[in-house]
């Protein structure tokens, strides 16, 4: 809010405003392949920070997470540039000694919460005017957890499926949807800043990933606990998880290669029965994950294992629950619906679009019993039948 009081006698008029300094930033454009010298100017992507947690080793431990300030103070921009006739500015914060400058803008560090601020603007002849305002310092803690869909796998810094990631083991990138969402939150409100903690890891599962070591990384929930300052509440958590728990890539391969795949055997178990079992196991695992957030999610302890990140580490660690601003601030983001897409004119088309099947054939467009390709006299590639797409949609995309 802009506040100002007209001075008597034609002296200066003090006008004061304030904003939070951005912490999740986009001020550079990635210029990969040319000495890694980024060009100035935004590109819509979160910058790869020099202030990642710990000592930054690009590609190894980078997580583009904003580091929490060691002293708990956040940078606030005090703006007196709307004042008229002023050449000198004195800022008073919570009654302390003034911070004086000839610049109309000042940067100070404050703790979170409300603060009483006053500006005294002076002109060249010594005339002055004073205005008061309330500053409510608020930093939003935004956390990204989950698997490759959250990590940004397949969308590296160079925009290609390459090893150009902030963290190669987890194929973690500032191009991820979570990172861009945090950036949008940062840019939306100048009166708040965003501390973004990006811990998603490609290949992660609810068990091995969130609760257990994965890819030589500690459990994501343990990493989050260690990064957060004591008592620090999280304002928003988003994650995708579950696809790797039910081995979705194996399911897709089975659907393509096997006739009547949902009823076929995969590793000694009927595919449909295996998926149902894994979905039930995922429910139980997610209850254990929920126990680690806030109060009232689950009446059980928050336990993770493998704190070293090594796959042979079976040590169990009990953690205090991670405080969240509200229970609805923990959001599981759904995977994209691969069974439908928008066609021309915005029409929704059902895949496999344009697939041609033999009359009465509800299988894969290949003869029964043939795997890894069609018969010699029919070179059409394997496809998913309408029946299999319907099974996948009901079982995987819209499970009860």
């Amino acid at each position: 809010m802009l506040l100002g009081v007209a001075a008597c006698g034609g002296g200066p008029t003090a006008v004061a405003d304030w904003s939070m300094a951005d912490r999740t930033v986009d001020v550079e454009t990635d210029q990969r392949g040319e000495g890694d010298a980024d060009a100035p100017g935004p590109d819509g992507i979160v910058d790869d920070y020099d202030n990642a947690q710990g000592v930054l080793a690009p590609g190894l431990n980078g997580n583009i997470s904003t580091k929490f300030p060691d002293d708990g103070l956040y940078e606030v921009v005090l703006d007196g540039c709307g004042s008229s006739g002023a050449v000198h500015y004195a800022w008073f914060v919570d009654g302390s000694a003034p911070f004086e400058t000839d610049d109309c803008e000042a940067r100070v560090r404050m703790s979170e919460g409300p603060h009483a601020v006053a500006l005294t603007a002076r002109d060249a002849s010594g005339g002055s005017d004073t205005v008061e305002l309330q500053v409510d310092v608020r930093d939003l803690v935004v956390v990204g957890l989950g698997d490759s869909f959250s990590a940004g796998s397949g969308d590296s810094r160079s925009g290609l499926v390459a090893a150009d990631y902030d963290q190669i083991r987890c194929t973690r990138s500032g191009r991820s949807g979570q990172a861009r969402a945090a950036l949008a939150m940062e840019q939306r409100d100048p009166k708040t800043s965003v501390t973004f903690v990006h811990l998603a890891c490609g290949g992660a599962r609810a068990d091995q990933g969130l609760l257990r070591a994965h890819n030589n990384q500690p459990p994501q929930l343990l990493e989050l606990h260690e990064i957060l300052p004591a008592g620090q509440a999280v304002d928003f958590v988003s994650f995708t998880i579950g696809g790797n728990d039910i081995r979705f890539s194996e399911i897709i391969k089975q659907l393509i290669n096997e006739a009547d795949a949902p009823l076929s055997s995969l590793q000694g178990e009927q595919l449909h029965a295996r998926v149902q079992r894994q979905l039930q196991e995922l429910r139980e695992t997610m209850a254990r994950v929920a126990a680690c957030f806030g109060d009232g999610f689950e009446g059980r302890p928050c336990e993770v294992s493998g704190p070293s990140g090594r796959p042979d580490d079976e040590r169990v660690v009990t953690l205090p629950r991670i405080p969240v601003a509200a229970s609805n601030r923990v959001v599981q983001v759904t995977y994209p619906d691969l069974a439908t897409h928008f066609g021309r004119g915005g029409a929704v088309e059902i895949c496999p679009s344009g697939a041609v099947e033999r009359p009465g054939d509800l299988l894969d467009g290949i003869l029964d019993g043939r795997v890894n390709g069609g018969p010699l006299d029919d070179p059409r590639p394997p496809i998913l039948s309408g029946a299999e797409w319907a099974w996948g949609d009901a079982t995987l995309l819209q499970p009860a």
Side-chain angles (χ1 to χ4, degrees):
M1 177 181 294
L2 294 171
L3 294 177
V5 179
C8 298
T13 299
V15 176
D17 198 5
W18 69 280
S19 62
M20 295 286 294
D22 288 350
R23 291 169 52 74
T24 297
V25 298
D26 171 25
V27 295
E28 297 178 333
T29 296
D30 286 334
Q31 298 286 319
R32 293 307 199 236
E34 300 181 7
D36 198 27
D38 293 339
D43 59 358
I45 301 166
V46 176
D47 291 340
D48 43 348
Y49 300 145
D50 291 332
N51 62 340
Q53 306 297 330
V55 178
L56 177 65
L60 296 179
N61 74 335
N63 55 19
I64 73 166
S65 298
T66 320
K67 189 175 182 181
F68 284 93
D70 293 334
D71 57 5
L73 303 180
Y74 295 87
E75 190 173 42
V76 177
V77 181
L78 300 177
D79 183 1
C81 298
S83 304
S84 61
V87 296
H88 189 80
Y89 306 83
W91 295 93
F92 303 81
V93 178
D94 296 326
S96 62
F99 175 80
E100 302 200 33
T101 175
D102 291 337
D103 295 326
C104 63
E105 183 179 285
R107 292 182 176 243
V108 297
R109 296 174 60 78
M110 301 184 189
S111 60
E112 283 198 90
H115 297 270
V117 175
L119 166 64
T120 296
R122 294 187 176 89
D123 61 17
S125 62
S128 65
D129 185 33
T130 299
V131 65
E132 298 178 351
L133 72 159
Q134 286 291 319
V135 172
D136 189 6
V137 177
R138 187 181 181 199
D139 180 69
L140 301 177
V141 180
V142 178
V143 176
L145 305 174
D147 53 25
S148 58
F149 194 65
S150 293
S153 305
D155 197 2
S156 68
R157 281 284 168 185
S158 60
L160 303 172
V161 181
D164 191 14
Y165 290 98
D166 298 287
Q167 211 269 24
I168 294 176
R169 289 184 185 273
C170 288
T171 57
R172 189 181 296 145
S173 170
R175 291 175 174 263
S176 75
Q178 290 178 333
R180 296 187 194 214
L183 180 62
M185 294 175 69
E186 178 72 270
Q187 296 174 339
R188 182 176 182 177
D189 184 4
K191 293 293 194 288
T192 61
S193 61
V194 170
T195 295
F196 176 51
V197 182
H198 193 27
L199 298 174
C201 192
R205 306 176 189 175
D207 185 11
Q208 288 182 304
L210 295 184
L211 296 172
R212 299 174 64 87
H214 167 66
N215 274 0
N216 292 308
Q217 307 294 306
Q220 292 179 32
L221 294 178
L222 175 60
E223 286 188 283
L224 177 58
H225 170 74
E226 292 176 340
I227 288 173
L228 291 173
Q232 175 69 59
V234 173
D235 293 283
F236 184 73
V237 181
S238 68
F239 64 94
T240 54
I241 208 72
N244 295 312
D245 294 77
I246 62 171
R247 312 290 181 87
F248 77 97
S249 59
E250 294 180 6
I251 295 173
I252 292 175
K253 181 178 179 181
Q254 188 81 349
L255 289 173
I256 292 175
N257 290 340
E258 289 286 348
D260 202 10
L263 301 180
S264 65
S265 175
L266 179 60
Q267 299 174 344
E269 190 173 6
Q270 185 194 75
L271 178 61
H272 180 79
R274 191 185 82 157
V275 170
Q276 296 301 314
R277 173 179 59 79
Q278 290 172 329
L279 287 174
Q280 188 59 42
E281 292 172 352
L282 183 59
R283 287 177 183 268
E284 172 60 24
T285 304
M286 290 307 299
R288 292 164 52 205
V289 172
C292 293
F293 289 100
D295 295 322
F297 279 91
E298 282 288 333
R300 61 178 75 191
C302 172
E303 295 181 337
V304 299
S305 58
S308 69
R310 297 194 315 269
D312 61 344
D313 186 357
E314 296 295 329
R315 288 175 295 164
V316 176
V317 178
T318 301
L319 302 177
R321 286 181 173 83
I322 297 167
V324 292
S327 60
N328 62 359
R329 304 292 181 87
V330 181
V331 178
Q332 181 171 5
V333 180
T334 59
Y335 294 107
D337 183 353
L338 301 179
T340 62
H341 68 95
F342 290 101
R344 293 183 178 179
V348 177
E349 299 180 356
I350 305 298
C351 297
S353 177
V356 178
E357 297 183 308
R358 295 174 177 173
D361 181 14
L362 296 179
L363 303 176
D364 301 316
I366 61 177
L367 294 178
D368 292 2
R370 289 301 298 267
V371 180
N372 295 327
L376 295 178
D377 62 346
D378 188 350
R380 292 177 300 173
I383 60 174
L384 304 187
S385 70
E388 288 174 333
W389 276 107
W391 173 83
D393 180 58
T395 304
L396 303 178
L397 298 177
Q398 302 178 39

